[in-house]
Every structure is written in C-alpha cells, then in structure tokens.
Amino acid sequence: MEHSGNSQLKLVDGDAGYVLEDVPHLTDYIPDLPTYPNPLRSNPSYSVVKQYFVDVDHTVAQKVIYASTSKFFWFVFLSPPFIVVHKDDPRGTHFRRAGPRQKVYFESDEVHACIVTCGGLCPGLNTVIREIVCGLYHMYGVNKILGIDGGYRGFYCKNTIDLTPKVVNDIHKRGGTIIKTSRGGHDTSKIVDSIHDRGINQVYIIGGDGTQKGAAVIYEEIRRRGLKVAVAGIPKTIDNDIPVIDKSFGFDTAVEEAQRAIDAAHVEAGSIENGIGVVKLMGRYSGFIAMYATLGSRDVDCCLIPESPFYLEGRGGLYEYIEKRLKENGHMVIVIAEGAGQDLLSESLQSVNHQDASGNKLLQDVGLWISQKIKNHFASQHKMAINLKYIDPTYMIRAIPSNASDSVYCTLLAHSAVHGAMAGYTGFTVGLVNGRHAYIPFNRITEKQKNVVITDRMWARLLSSTNQPSFLSHKEIAEFKKEKQHQHQLLDDENCKDNKSEPKT
C-alpha cells in the first residue's frame, strides 16, 4: 500500500483498482503517541460479543458494481445481505470502517470532550447528544464532557453546559437540541483558541454540509498548531442531501411526519367539491422528503421537486393536469418541495441574492405562490370553482423527536464517532455507506449535494404511483439520459485506468 496526498486527501492504493480514501490520524502530525488497551476489553456488557473490535484493515466499499447477467459472478459472503460483483470488476473506492479498535490513543481520565450543534433543527439531535455522552461515559469511562451553548459562536461568547448521563437521560424524548444551535458565527481562530484554553481534546460537531465545512477548517487549524485534539463530525440534514452516505439521521422521521400533513390535505380535499390540498415540504435543493413521503402516502396526485422542472400553462402543463384529475376524482393532493419551481417565480423573487447566516439562499414560499397561481387560473377560466387548502408543516416536522428507526441510527452514528475519536482518528465524519458505518473525509461530504435522479427507477415509481406527467419533453428526457450515460462512461474509463495501472506495494 502507498499513501499519497495532503491533510485533506489521504489515499491508499491497492491491487485491482482498490482505493482507500482514508481519514487523518493524530499520528500523522504528532509522532510517537502512546497507545492504551481499549477499556471495552474489560467491559462486561461487551465481553460476550465475538469479534467486537474492528480490524485496522477493514474498509467499506462506496459502491457495489453489479455486472450484467451474461457475465460470470462470484459472491462475497461478508454478512447478510451478501455483495454480488464480477470477478474482473475494479474494487473501487473504499472508506475506513467505523467501530472500536483494540488500541486507543486517549486514556479515560485524559479525555475532555465537547459537543456542538449548528444549523437548523432536525429530529434526532438530542438523541445523538445523549448517545455521545453515554457512549463516552459507559464505554470509555470519560467524565468530562461539555455542551457548547449556541452553535459555533458558543465557543467564544456563550457559557458551556456540563453533560452527564443523568443530565441527558431523557432528552431523546424531546425535539430540538438542549445545547441550542445557531447559524454562522464561525471564527476559526477564536474557536481553536477556546478549545485549547479549555483543555478540550475531543470535539464532536453535529451539523449539515456548511457545519462540516467549518469542522474541516477547525481540524486544519488544530493540525497546524500541532494539538492533540480529535475532530469528529456527525452529518445532519433533514433533506437527506449529503453525498456518499446512504441517508442522514432524521430523514425517516421527517418522511413519517410529512405523511401526516399529506393525510390532512387528503381529508380536506376529499371532503369538498373540487378540493385541492397543497402541502409544502422541506427540500431546498433536493426533493427526497417530498418523493419518499409521496411514495409512502399513495394519496398524492402530483409531486413537484427541485430536480424535475415543470410548467404551468399549455398542453401537458400543471393546470391541465389539475383540471383532468378534478374531473376524474373530484379532488387532488399536490406535494411541492420548497425549492421546486424557483425559476418560475424568480422574476418576483426579491431575496434571490440574499442568504441566511449559513450561506443558504433565501427562498420565497413556493407553496403560497403556487396556491395563488392555481386559484387565479381557475378563477379566470370560469370553468370550475375550486376549493384549495394550503398546509405548511415545515417547523412541526423539524421540531419533533426522532422515531424508533432514527433513534437506533443516531445511536450507531454517535457511538461510531466516539470509537473513531478514541482510536485517534480525526478530521472525519461518520455515516452509513452501503449499509456499513464508515469514517469519511470531510471533503467528500462537502464537495457537492446529493440529488434525486429523475431518470432512475425511484422517480419512475413515483410517476407511476401518482400518474402525473413528467413535465419533460422527449428531447429533455433524451438529454438527461445522455448526460447520465456520459457520467457512467467517465466513471468506467477511470476504473479501467485504475485497473491497468501497476498496483503500488
């Protein structure tokens, strides 16, 4: 194996096109650090677990490449479900698998940890906080844990909160975050000064892509100063738009709660003649919540997301489709993501160049806008009288506690972050990759956003479920497919180059 790159990019090349995008380690810039036996070895709760510790060479594949049926397959039975690959396929990009190591780089009494939450609210924030605290305390015997009050600016202008298992015992039953949050307020030098002055040596940062970019800068400054401080990120976005990871925590809860709003819209619309229920859901740039809530509900007649352009007037437009559905069913439900249709109201968008403290573009309420446009259209046409009800459950969804599925996921993410920091890894974020928890370099989750691919099967399933038009011309569909094929070809060419190159040993 051969390492290459700088502190932001740490690559390990292997045979058959294998590439490990590794995360930094404290020993990369502080040599000869002592190690200690992992306290979990003598923890009675884990003594019955076989092979609990993760081998140093265990990695997780970013993608599983499926060969065509005409090729010969071989099977790798790692654990259910098994992975199916072709024997000649390149092994591709991998990430270091998360989990406890045999050796740790911090003694329990030495650890002084802190936790900070930044950005908007999301179901599961309190659960992550609770499980970081309980994980550090019960698994590693750590007693000094601080909550940074009020986001990044809390490092230098707010008080801290002492966190113990007793303090966080029942916070998972509440929405929001007990240590409060904020947008912006990032001053790298002041933050690192505060970390150093307080004697903090483990920093757990919970937030979205902007927060994780800030975490990456904090790590770089800590590394530049040569401090023994592990920086671990837990990615948070209710929109599920963080790349590489399977999903972000809080997403399942958001989809479940969004369906309650859809149910209400369906009842309202179905209880009156020509009733239309419009539900606006979160999704500034990605329509995952709207798409999954629509598929889960089965009561939605039209789903509009940022990735799929639509138009209002003319043949095949939204107005024509609404009229058709009302004549067929007497009512309909429309789900729209907050970032959809922004091009259609951009001329009247006064805040198009304005941003919030996190750098997000300020958007007008597309739900109110489209509701008024529909009302105006049918009023001017004099064809039929409609009754439209508009529901915006955005802040209700954000503020609820996580459901059972997300609570389990939050626990695993928190524990993975704790295991990584104790093992000396730093400058990383944790996430589920192909069903396995992994340590991912900051740059991989901040370089772009994940979007719904409207030429994939999931969007096709939605179109089949709602029977809505795609609002795309044959030419546009062909261009989407051509672009997707081009991207796949570039990936194949890159993999071929990796395969043909001499393996580094």
Side-chain angles (χ1 to χ4, degrees):
M1 300 287 183
E2 181 174 299
H3 292 266
S4 63
N6 53 33
S7 60
Q8 280 290 328
L9 188 62
K10 186 178 177 185
L11 301 179
V12 181
D13 297 335
D15 295 337
Y18 172 94
V19 177
L20 169 63
E21 294 196 10
D22 206 356
V23 295
H25 195 274
L26 291 173
T27 55
D28 292 343
Y29 63 93
I30 308 177
D32 304 321
L33 279 177
T35 61
Y36 313 95
N38 194 319
L40 288 174
R41 290 183 179 184
S42 56
N43 190 313
S45 299
Y46 296 92
S47 61
V48 297
V49 181
K50 295 181 179 179
Q51 298 179 338
Y52 184 71
F53 294 105
V54 175
D55 190 273
V56 68
D57 292 327
H58 284 180
T59 60
V60 177
Q62 179 182 356
K63 292 182 179 179
V64 178
I65 303 173
Y66 292 89
S68 65
T69 54
S70 61
K71 293 182 179 181
F72 172 79
F73 291 98
W74 63 290
F75 302 90
V76 183
F77 290 91
L78 296 177
S79 69
F82 55 77
I83 300 172
V84 184
V85 297
H86 184 259
K87 65 185 180 70
D88 296 325
D89 279 334
R91 295 174 64 190
T93 301
H94 289 63
F95 300 107
R96 191 166 292 281
R97 185 178 176 186
R101 268 54 179 178
Q102 292 274 3
K103 299 285 187 180
V104 295
Y105 283 78
F106 292 92
E107 289 188 286
S108 300
D109 294 340
E110 171 194 5
V111 176
H112 190 187
C114 75
I115 306 170
V116 62
T117 53
C118 305
L121 295 183
C122 176
L125 279 171
N126 275 335
T127 308
V128 175
I129 294 168
R130 180 188 191 278
E131 296 310 321
I132 291 174
V133 173
C134 292
L136 283 168
Y137 185 90
H138 293 299
M139 292 191 294
Y140 290 99
V142 174
N143 294 307
K144 293 182 290 184
I145 309 167
L146 292 177
I148 303 300
D149 188 6
Y152 275 138
R153 62 170 55 92
F155 275 103
Y156 50 87
C157 66
K158 291 270 189 176
N159 293 326
T160 58
I161 302 168
D162 289 325
L163 299 177
T164 65
K166 185 177 181 179
V167 170
V168 302
N169 181 56
D170 63 351
I171 64 171
H172 60 292
K173 299 175 184 178
R174 289 182 268 160
T177 164
I178 64 161
I179 56 177
K180 298 185 175 58
T181 184
S182 67
R183 296 186 184 277
H186 189 281
D187 187 318
T188 305
S189 182
K190 287 184 178 180
I191 290 171
V192 177
D193 286 345
S194 175
I195 290 170
H196 181 57
D197 292 343
R198 296 175 189 273
I200 293 169
N201 51 22
Q202 288 187 10
V203 183
Y204 297 92
I205 301 174
I206 311 167
D209 56 349
T211 301
Q212 301 303 312
K213 287 177 183 176
V217 176
I218 290 171
Y219 156 71
E220 287 293 340
E221 177 62 16
I222 286 172
R223 178 180 177 129
R224 188 187 69 79
R225 299 190 189 186
L227 304 178
K228 185 187 176 183
V229 179
V231 180
I234 296 93
K236 170 213 61 95
T237 169
I238 204 168
D239 293 343
N240 196 39
D241 58 358
I242 292 179
V244 179
I245 64 175
D246 296 353
K247 66 175 179 179
S248 52
F249 75 83
F251 176 69
D252 283 351
T253 307
V255 170
E256 184 177 298
E257 190 66 15
Q259 289 184 61
R260 300 181 192 275
I262 293 173
D263 290 343
H266 184 246
V267 170
E268 287 281 354
S271 300
I272 195 167
E273 185 179 3
N274 292 331
I276 300 175
V278 176
V279 180
K280 188 192 78 172
L281 297 176
M282 288 151 293
R284 185 178 293 273
Y285 305 110
S286 303
F288 287 103
I289 291 179
M291 180 174 71
Y292 277 85
T294 294
L295 284 168
S297 170
R298 301 290 176 174
D299 288 327
V300 178
D301 299 280
C302 186
C303 178
L304 305 172
I305 62 174
E307 297 89 338
S308 182
F310 67 94
Y311 55 97
L312 300 176
E313 301 183 19
R315 185 178 179 183
L318 181 61
Y319 293 152
E320 181 185 80
Y321 176 62
I322 292 173
E323 185 175 338
K324 174 175 177 288
R325 293 300 285 174
L326 291 178
K327 287 178 179 178
E328 290 174 349
N329 295 341
H331 65 275
M332 75 175 298
V333 175
I334 300 171
V335 168
I336 184 166
E338 62 182 320
Q342 291 297 317
D343 56 321
L344 299 179
L345 67 155
S346 59
E347 292 183 3
S348 60
L349 190 64
Q350 300 299 314
S351 57
V352 66
N353 294 319
H354 296 173
Q355 297 179 336
D356 63 18
S358 295
N360 298 313
K361 184 187 294 185
L362 291 174
L363 304 177
Q364 284 190 352
D365 193 328
V366 70
L368 282 174
W369 172 81
I370 202 167
S371 297
Q372 193 60 52
K373 293 290 285 186
I374 293 170
K375 289 178 182 178
N376 293 344
H377 171 78
F378 283 95
S380 65
Q381 293 296 312
H382 303 292
K383 289 184 178 180
M384 63 173 68
I386 65 166
N387 292 277
L388 188 145
K389 308 295 183 184
Y390 173 52
I391 297 176
D392 180 0
T394 299
Y395 292 102
M396 293 175 63
I397 292 174
R398 288 173 23 152
I400 63 173
S402 56
N403 64 12
S405 173
D406 269 324
S407 291
V408 173
Y409 186 32
C410 289
T411 299
L412 296 177
L413 287 173
H415 288 186
S416 292
V418 168
H419 292 317
M422 291 298 297
Y425 294 109
T426 182
F428 70 90
T429 192
V430 294
L432 199 64
V433 179
N434 272 326
R436 297 283 187 181
H437 286 261
Y439 299 138
I440 307 163
F442 280 133
N443 65 291
R444 284 305 308 273
I445 66 164
T446 59
E447 60 189 2
K448 61 181 180 180
Q449 287 178 313
K450 183 170 65 175
N451 299 108
V452 173
V453 180
I454 61 172
T455 52
D456 274 0
R457 290 189 183 95
M458 191 59 76
W459 186 247
R461 292 185 184 105
L462 181 140
L463 296 179
S464 175
S465 170
T466 61
N467 290 314
Q468 71 186 66
S470 68
F471 299 110
L472 295 173
S473 66
H474 291 298
K475 181 180 178 181
E476 288 172 317
I477 293 174
E479 288 176 353
F480 273 114
K481 288 184 177 179
K482 184 177 180 181
E483 176 61 24
K484 188 176 179 182
Q485 289 173 352
H486 177 64
Q487 292 174 354
H488 284 195
Q489 185 61 49
L490 290 176
L491 180 61
D492 291 342
D493 292 344
E494 184 178 341
N495 287 335
C496 286
K497 288 179 183 178
D498 289 338
N499 253 357
K500 291 178 181 178
S501 63
E502 288 294 324
K504 300 174 182 179
T505 57

